[in-house]
Amino acid sequence: MTTQAAFDLVFRNALLRSSAAPVDIGVKDGRIAAIAPKLACEAAEIEVGGLLALPGLVDTHIHLDKACLLGRCGHDHGSVSEAIRAVAAMKKDFTIEDVYARGARVLERAIVNGTTRMRTHVEIDPRIGLRGFEAVKALKRDYAWAIDLELCVFPQEGLTNDPGAEELLAQALREGGEVIGGCPYMDTDPNAHLARIFDLAEEFDIDVDLHLDFDLDPSWWHLDEVCRQTEQRSYSGRVAIGHATKLSALPPERMKAATAQLARSGVAVTVLPATDLYLMGREATHNAPRGLTLAHKLAGDGVLCSVATNNVLNPFTPFGDASLLRMANFYANVAHASVSDFDTCLDLVTGLPARLMNLADYGIEVGNPADLILLDTKDSRFAIAELPDVLMGFKRGQQTFARPRPTLFKS
């Protein structure tokens, strides 16, 4: 029995991924104060019973501002450009209240599914103005009790070809934007687009998170320019690319070279299974390509990766429940992950995306915020294999939700 000073809360017999046997976790003033077997103290207690505790799931790429649009348009979009046009037609009529309500619906689902950190991409352009941004800023404030929300502002429909967009981006960055994104494949001058995004990143000293190369034609891409800008500006470890579906279409030797390039330049990759699978390969009549870049393979070769949600119930992805565990399981199925890869697949929604977001205080470690979730399993591999229920969650030591186990009524 290890004697410690008084705690506000102690989790008894929690299994950590790093521990061979269950341990106790002592919490004081919202932070983890001790991790050891059998802490002796006077405190409120939660008996975990050997179940798995994780430091919350981390979603690096989601669009709260354009979520939950089912029913507002016909969902027969067969391409990325058609989905972009569909949302562009709707967003000019978005109000702050509308974006807030739809975003809150998704945030609440994410919270009860175990997400405690999230980067949301927010469209900024002359059509939506800053209305979506203001709504998501309000969501960040109002849901801080349960989730840390980071705002990545970006021009979905181009930059150099969209007068007024850059001025609005700069205004958003002055008013609370924390990361800048880009979408070079939508610009008439993709390299100039990237240069301006990196200029703004340097001006505001913020990270970069780009939508990149959303198709399956590897004869051209913008990855070389992204890596060049990253290295030229000493931005290694501060740049991520989302989708990067062209990587899935590369033959082995080109993939090997691209992997080495990403690892050398320090550019991270976020794979978005639901959207990538929905929109890629739709023109095929048979043997449709998946269009899914293999994040667990890239991670094994030294590229920082994550798996994330992207869109929920809209023309880009008319599915979704904001469950990162489900997304990691979905990814593992489609990516042909083996049982030995399951731990890496769990890493793709926990520690790896935390590194991608440069979160210095993430993890169940002494001194970090007491952010954790409890899963109904006693083996971390089963978090991917059987999608156990997320039974409860805590943010800075305060409980944020509970999901009781289902009850069977046997006759």
Side-chain angles (χ1 to χ4, degrees), residues 275-390:
T275 303
D276 297 346
L277 286 158
Y278 179 68
L279 288 176
M280 294 297 97
R282 295 181 68 86
E283 70 284 354
T285 60
H286 59 285
N287 286 340
R290 291 178 169 87
L292 187 77
T293 292
L294 299 182
H296 69 291
K297 298 287 190 183
L298 282 172
D301 289 327
V303 180
L304 182 58
C305 291
S306 68
V307 162
T309 299
N310 197 41
N311 284 290
V312 177
L313 304 177
N314 73 9
F316 293 87
T317 321
F319 312 99
D321 57 2
S323 168
L324 279 177
L325 280 184
R326 184 184 65 81
M327 194 63 68
N329 170 280
F330 182 44
Y331 167 85
N333 273 269
V334 178
H336 292 154
S338 64
V339 174
S340 62
D341 296 320
F342 285 179
D343 272 323
T344 300
C345 291
L346 185 55
D347 292 339
L348 289 167
V349 293
T350 53
L352 294 178
R355 282 177 52 203
L356 185 152
M357 290 176 62
N358 289 307
L359 302 177
D361 61 353
Y362 176 83
I364 301 179
E365 299 176 8
V366 172
N368 282 350
D371 300 350
L372 57 92
I373 59 173
L374 302 178
L375 274 61
D376 195 8
T377 183
K378 297 186 178 184
D379 187 326
S380 62
R381 293 172 301 174
F382 286 86
I384 297 298
E386 67 174 351
L387 291 178
D389 289 338
V390 185

Side-chain angles (χ1 to χ4, degrees), residues 12-16 21-23 47-53 375 377-379:
R12 297 287 186 193
N13 299 308
L15 182 67
L16 306 183
V23 294
E47 176 55 55
V48 178
L51 297 180
L52 179 66
L375 274 61
T377 183
K378 297 186 178 184
D379 187 326

Side-chain angles (χ1 to χ4, degrees), residues 225-309:
E225 180 64 13
V226 171
C227 292
R228 190 187 72 79
Q229 291 277 356
T230 300
E231 293 173 354
Q232 176 185 314
R233 299 173 190 255
S234 300
Y235 245 59
S236 177
R238 302 189 68 179
V239 178
I241 55 174
H243 300 292
T245 50
K246 289 179 186 287
L247 291 172
S248 73
L250 294 181
E253 286 306 309
R254 281 195 64 192
M255 186 61 185
K256 183 178 179 181
T259 300
Q261 182 182 30
L262 288 163
R264 181 181 65 251
S265 61
V267 172
V269 176
T270 294
V271 173
L272 304 162
T275 303
D276 297 346
L277 286 158
Y278 179 68
L279 288 176
M280 294 297 97
R282 295 181 68 86
E283 70 284 354
T285 60
H286 59 285
N287 286 340
R290 291 178 169 87
L292 187 77
T293 292
L294 299 182
H296 69 291
K297 298 287 190 183
L298 282 172
D301 289 327
V303 180
L304 182 58
C305 291
S306 68
V307 162
T309 299

Side-chain angles (χ1 to χ4, degrees), residues 192-204:
H193 180 112
L194 288 168
R196 292 303 300 137
I197 294 301
F198 275 91
D199 286 345
L200 288 166
E202 288 190 315
E203 178 182 346
F204 288 91

